[in-house]
Amino acid sequence: MAVRHFSLVCCWWVVFLPAVFLPATPLSAAEPAAKHALLIGCTDYPRLDDFFQLEGPVNDVALMRQVLIESYGFTAESGRMVTLAASEDAMHQPTRANIQREFESLARRVQAGDEVLILMGGHGSQQPDNDPENPMDAEPDGLDEVFLPCDVGPWDGKAGMIENAIVDDQLRQWLSALVAKQASVCIIMDACHSGSGVRGSDAERSRQVPPGQLVPKALLDSVRESSSEDDASDSLFDGPGDLVAIYAAQPHETTPEKKLPLTADPDARKYYGLLSFTLCDLLSNTNRKLTYNELIQEVQSRYVAMGRRSPTPLIEGSNRDRIVMGKESFPERSRIRLSIQSDDEGTINSGALQGVTKGSIYRITAPLDDAGRSNKDTSGFVQVTEVDMTSATVVPVAYDESPKVSLADVQQRSVCELVFRDLGDRRLGVAVDSFDDSGTAIAESLHQRLTQLASELDSELVEVVTDPQDAQWLIRYNEGEVRLVPGAGIATGDESSVFVSHGVRSDWPELMREDLRRIARATNLLRLTGDNAETDRGGLIGLSIKTFDEENNEIQWQSAGRVLKEGQQIKVRLQHFGRENVDVTLLYVDNAYGITCLYPNPGESNRLRTGDSQSIRLRINAETVGLESLVAIVVKSDGQPVDYSVLEQPSLERASAELSRDVNRGGVGLFETPLGRLCKTSLYGVGASRGVTREAEQNYRVSVMSWKIEP
């Protein structure tokens, strides 16, 4: 458990909305609340350098539009769905004038009770505060945050601002007009303004233009010298009205766009904003109602499962506990259908966005009849060979003692049901970087030497790859040191994420081998939390994890995430609300990738019956620094209590020895269960388990809760 040290580089957009509402026309019984969306994606910046051109925002807009229409009842009719993105139509380019026109048009159309969703994807930046004396617009660092439309220009000295930039003050006015009409508004800002840190791989592009690229350096230096951040407000949104603001990152962090989804074939991936894609993924796959606060916590959990340490999404607003877009009920998901292309190949109407993975196997049953019923008789099985965003290619396969069939004998539009989920290669990808922290190329001879030494790192848990864009971690030479750096980079204040071996010497791989093994084990444990996150267990397994302070107040997710203090005593409470008895293991993953068992203690039963609760008390200390996580492994009870506390052991040999000493800790057969085999492969690199059957998946759940610790 750790303390995380960082300083805020700037204050995010503080949105103060007027307390007095304008008159609004009440809804009649015949007029249900309407849904409106304004989706803005700034991809091309003709007046900025090539380095600052983006690819993702136009894809964010298209994906969000699809999710809103298919899953949330939005419609493109009557001008209620407006998109401003790369377009041949000048009226729909994301210019400042067009953005302002659509905000003002939206304010005229909305009525009380309407749902409004706004997405703004593109670059952010900063400029000197143009109204420093206004107490309602305090900028302690002396800088306004700005969003950059596609026609942004250079610094305009006469106007005292970046040409065409949208300042936070202006956005505040546009939002005020919507909230004043008593509409329920959610704005998503997939941009960042001032974050910094250690560079990651070129697979990710930051959605930020540093202020120095647009504002004269002398002016920025003058503003910074005369300002103080000591008086920075803790609140990033503090206005009345029904508005929720979601930001891609904390003030000291950057937010990326990258090629996603990772489960799709490389050629099928496109650039998306990390926040926009993750939100769309969650919104299109959830089968339960979520509040906005819960949604952002789910986003953070997805990031952790991806092995990311940053960014931490930020949420503000007076009504964060409102149900996302007012959706209270979720009908049964559409069936997966098979379209036959030939005797030995077909496609299904689900892809990476719906959780389909290459290698997964589906059972084929007859098409639905006129009454919507399906004949459950199995016609055969197909396996996924290629995955696109919303579709996948499948081929017949023998499975479960059933022979391979010809699709010529299968009906078009047959129903496909998942029976085996392939979770892919569990090894940690590592590559030698050709550049140092500043982006300067290292000498070719040095790169060759590092590559030669790195080849010794290949193991059952680590794969040395050629392209840094395919790596989760980078081996980087910087100022005489060989370093291990996360491929996603490091936010300011989290420099402890760098693992250092001094000098380029022959024993360098040996120094890093154990670091990589520890990183791989913890990363794969966290990855398990995302592998079965969307499994519907019909209420059989249900575990609530909550944290409380010394006064027994629940520690809630705040703007900066869930934050704990050094020396603080907390209580973690496990509450079982499912219909079946379960065995629970609680593991702690610290920022140095250590794994420690918190529950159960040796010899303690970890079985919880329906309604049971268990509390664990912790004191936060500063042994490690950064983002840390609780991982709960919940297994449906069957026979003797089973716990996975042995996963804290660094090797399979030590874990097996621990098991053999105490049958109540899972016994020697623990690693022979479906989840146990998956853990054995993921954390120890032993065995060939790449996935789990759908039936076995119903019997366990792996979930995560993360927090940051401050001094």
Side-chain angles (χ1 to χ4, degrees), residues 146-223:
V146 297
F147 179 81
L148 306 184
C150 70
D151 59 343
V152 67
W155 176 254
D156 184 339
K158 291 184 178 180
M161 64 181 298
I162 300 168
E163 182 184 342
N164 289 331
I166 298 174
V167 186
D168 51 3
D169 305 352
Q170 180 65 74
L171 183 62
R172 182 179 308 126
Q173 294 177 21
W174 294 340
L175 293 172
S176 296
L178 296 171
V179 175
K181 298 287 288 289
Q182 299 182 32
S184 296
V185 182
C186 173
I187 180 169
I188 301 166
M189 298 293 300
D190 201 346
C192 55
H193 302 88
S194 61
S196 60
V198 178
R199 184 184 66 84
S201 77
D202 294 334
E204 299 191 355
R205 303 172 179 175
S206 174
R207 289 191 172 183
Q208 171 205 10
V209 177
Q213 294 288 328
L214 299 167
V215 181
K217 182 178 184 300
L219 179 57
L220 282 175
D221 290 343
S222 174
V223 169

Side-chain angles (χ1 to χ4, degrees), residues 490-544:
I490 303 170
T492 297
D494 195 20
E495 285 79 3
S496 64
S497 302
V498 176
F499 291 75
V500 177
S501 294
H502 295 280
V504 183
R505 57 198 206 193
S506 59
D507 63 346
W508 160 78
E510 187 64 32
L511 296 173
M512 281 196 173
R513 185 171 287 110
E514 282 308 308
D515 286 337
L516 284 169
R517 185 178 184 86
R518 185 169 70 254
I519 293 168
R521 293 182 66 247
T523 298
N524 280 339
L525 176 61
L526 293 170
R527 185 177 171 184
L528 288 174
T529 68
D531 287 337
N532 76 336
E534 295 302 322
T535 300
D536 179 10
R537 299 164 188 80
L540 294 177
I541 296 177
L543 185 74
S544 169

Side-chain angles (χ1 to χ4, degrees), residues 231-309:
D231 298 324
S233 170
D234 290 332
S235 176
L236 303 178
F237 173 80
D238 190 19
D242 195 350
L243 187 145
V244 175
I246 296 172
Y247 305 94
Q250 300 291 314
H252 62 288
E253 298 173 329
T254 60
T255 190
E257 65 174 36
K258 62 181 298 181
K259 286 190 173 182
L260 294 166
L262 298 178
T263 53
D265 292 328
D267 292 343
R269 299 172 193 167
K270 297 179 181 179
Y271 276 98
Y272 291 93
L274 180 65
L275 174 68
S276 293
F277 180 85
T278 307
L279 284 172
C280 288
D281 187 6
L282 285 165
L283 292 174
S284 63
N285 286 297
T286 187
N287 56 7
R288 63 186 178 90
K289 63 183 180 182
L290 292 169
T291 66
Y292 284 101
N293 222 29
E294 290 170 338
L295 177 64
I296 292 307
Q297 292 179 62
E298 291 287 344
V299 170
Q300 173 71 0
S301 295
R302 286 292 182 91
Y303 291 176
V304 169
M306 292 168 65
R308 300 191 67 93
R309 308 165 79 98

